[in-house]
Amino acid sequence: MRRILTFLVVTLVLVTLPVAGTAAAAHGGGGTTSPRTVCVDAGHGGTDPGATYFGLQEKNLTLDIAMRLKTLLSSNGFNVVMTRTGDQTLGNTDRANICNAAGAGMVLSIHLNAASDPSVDYFKAFYGKQNKDRTFTQTIWNNYNLARPDGTGLLQKSGIAQFASGLLLKTNAPASLAETVFLSNPAEANALADGTGTRQQAIAQQLYNGLVAWYNR
C-alpha cells in the first residue's frame, strides 16, 4: 500500500508541474513576454545628444515623442515601460535589459535622422534579427503615413533595412528602430520647434498606429 501511495503522489506532482509553468508564462514570469506590454525607447540621452540642428537636440525630441506615444498607448489599455523618462545616459544593453525585465511584447526605439543635404526628409525603419524583427518592422513601416511638414501630401518612406543595433539584437520581443523624420531638414526643424508640439504628436500617432496594427494582426 505504501508503495502504491508513493507512486500516486509522484504521478500527481508530474501532472501538475506543466500547469504551474503555463500559469507563470501567462503572467509574464520567467523571461516570457506580454503582448500588451510595449517598451518605448527614446533614442540617445544624457551625454549623447544625437543629431543637433537649428538649436534642437535629437535626445530631447525623441523623449517628447516617446512620452506622447506612452500616453496614447496607456490611454488605450497597453502597459508601457520607458527605457528613460529623463536625460539619462544609457547604452543599448541597458535599454534591452529594461525591455526584457518588463516582459515587453513589442519594442520600439524612436530616433530622428540627419543628412548633409537639408532637402532630404523621409521615414525609415530598421530591424535587427530577420525572424524576430523584420515582420514587426514592416508593420511599423506600413502604418506610418505622416503628412509632410507643409501639409502637402505624405512624407516619403524609404523602406526597411537590417541594422546590428545592440538594442534590436538583445531584446526578446520583436523590435524596431524608427528614424521618424530628418532633423536636418529646415521645414521639419521649424515644425518641431514651433512650441505647439503638433509635429511631435503627429509622429507619435503614426508610431502608435503601427504598434496597434501589430497587436491586432
Side-chain angles (χ1 to χ4, degrees), residues 65-76 80 201 208:
I65 295 166
M67 296 302 292
R68 292 172 186 274
L69 178 57
K70 177 186 178 183
T71 298
L72 288 170
L73 289 164
S74 298
S75 298
N76 288 278
V80 183
Q201 187 67 33
Y208 169 81

Side-chain angles (χ1 to χ4, degrees), residues 42-50 57 59-60 84 86-90 95:
H44 305 283
T47 58
D48 175 16
Q57 291 186 323
K59 68 175 183 177
N60 298 325
R84 68 181 180 96
D87 195 19
Q88 299 101 322
T89 301
L90 293 170
R95 298 169 196 265

